[in-house]
Amino acid sequence: MRAVIELVNVRKVYRIGGEEVYAVNGVSMSVRKGEFLCIMGASGSGKTTLLSLMGCLDRPTSGKVLIDGIDTSSLSDRELTDIRRDKIGFVFQQYHLIPTLTAFENVELPMLLKGVPKAERERRAMELLEIMGIAKAANRKPSELSGGMQQRVAIARALANDPEILLCDEPTGNLDTKSGEVVMNLIEEQNERGVTVVLVTHDPDIAKYAERVVRIRDGKIVEDPGIKLG
Ligand SMILES: Nc1ncnc2c1ncn2[C@@H]1O[C@H](COP(=O)(O)OP(=O)(O)OP(=O)(O)O)[C@@H](O)[C@H]1O
Ligand SMILES: [Mg+2]
């Protein structure tokens, strides 16, 4: 199986005042096509930073991030934006929906940015809301939805442009157990359709959904059944 995401000795250093924080400190790993991978680690261990690097939301301080074999360090910001829009869907812990738009419009937005024709956008947005079981809430604003419903809208939005890769940062972190299960089942269904899923969590019950669990501590991988650590 080829790697959809490959990290080669990736570091991300933040400078706060005079101090350097190594949020990700020399990580090498591959994510294979169709995999359901979970990244676990304590708060502050670098999970969100690692996921942002995998999703080209941010560039590493050093090392390489390859998406589908393409070295992203050779790409312009514009080209990176295109890769994100076409290949990658993000689901954030805090949903990050646009408050002034309805559920429907939030799901439609990535397609609008990609230039998908109106009829196709509307068909696809409605289809996704139906798949997520929230079609009835299409015309509601995020503030009129429960947390679980907002997260389902966020997943629908992440899937709008049919990404190969779905990156989820603590997608059930703000949900009750029942809504969390609904959201995890929806993510699992996407993986069964062939979408590569990388999910960050510190909840062992959530990690059970994954076929491979990578553990990080202080920005370093301490356990990865997918590779031999030397
Ligand atoms: N934009 C930033 N500027 C400065 N330091 C940052 C920034 N983002 C993260 N850090 C630092 O990098 C380290 C890793 O942060 P990160 O958010 O990746 O951890 P995390 O594992 O996602 O934590 P949590 O479980 O609390 O979400 C922390 O020490 C954090 O303070
Ligand atoms: Mg985090």
Side-chain angles (χ1 to χ4, degrees):
M1 280 280 184
R2 73 190 164 95
V4 269
I5 306 174
E6 193 173 353
L7 305 181
V8 185
N9 203 15
V10 166
R11 287 197 164 76
K12 181 72 191 183
V13 186
Y14 291 114
R15 289 187 179 79
I16 318 164
E19 210 193 326
E20 289 188 336
V21 177
Y22 284 74
V24 170
N25 194 0
V27 165
S28 298
M29 64 182 285
S30 314
V31 182
R32 284 178 295 277
K33 190 165 173 50
E35 200 169 20
F36 193 144
L37 175 81
C38 178
I39 296 171
M40 287 194 84
S43 182
S45 57
K47 302 182 299 297
T48 296
T49 307
L50 190 59
L51 204 66
S52 314
L53 293 168
M54 284 185 171
C56 308
L57 280 175
D58 207 352
R59 290 180 189 267
T61 310
S62 65
K64 279 184 178 159
V65 178
L66 292 92
I67 304 289
D68 275 337
I70 301 166
D71 180 355
T72 56
S73 62
S74 65
L75 302 179
S76 66
D77 286 348
R78 177 84 199 255
E79 288 168 321
L80 268 193
T81 305
D82 288 348
I83 287 201
R84 275 204 308 270
R85 189 195 58 202
D86 297 340
K87 292 187 191 273
I88 302 170
F90 281 94
V91 178
F92 301 93
Q93 180 169 8
Q94 309 287 350
Y95 326 129
H96 286 308
L97 297 172
I98 297 180
T100 51
L101 299 181
T102 64
F104 181 88
E105 290 162 343
N106 267 282
V107 178
E108 191 186 15
L109 187 62
M111 295 183 273
L112 198 65
L113 297 174
K114 195 180 175 177
V116 175
K118 188 166 188 282
E120 172 55 17
R121 276 191 333 250
E122 293 183 346
R123 188 202 61 76
R124 176 80 178 143
M126 226 36 234
E127 176 187 63
L128 283 165
L129 290 171
E130 265 158 30
I131 292 170
M132 295 298 139
I134 43 171
K136 285 203 178 101
N139 293 320
R140 291 204 224 156
K141 302 262 173 70
S143 62
E144 299 158 351
L145 301 171
S146 70
M149 289 166 96
Q150 289 183 62
Q151 194 58 302
R152 284 189 271 166
V153 175
I155 296 172
R157 176 184 58 183
L159 295 171
N161 287 330
D162 216 0
E164 283 176 55
I165 306 165
L166 188 61
L167 302 178
C168 309
D169 193 357
E170 306 265 11
T172 61
N174 286 312
L175 305 180
D176 59 84
T177 313
K178 191 115 185 36
S179 317
E181 256 171 42
V182 172
V183 162
M184 283 310 299
N185 288 333
L186 291 166
I187 292 172
E188 198 174 37
E189 272 169 38
Q190 292 308 312
N191 179 247
E192 282 160 5
R193 297 183 42 239
V195 177
T196 306
V197 176
V198 182
L199 187 146
V200 158
T201 187
H202 49 241
D203 182 347
D205 282 335
I206 297 298
K208 282 180 195 150
Y209 285 86
E211 50 200 14
R212 171 176 160 211
V213 179
V214 172
R215 283 172 208 279
I216 69 167
R217 190 187 299 149
D218 299 331
K220 288 187 163 77
I221 293 182
V222 290
E223 190 184 321
D224 180 359
I227 53 160
K228 284 204 180 75
L229 293 174

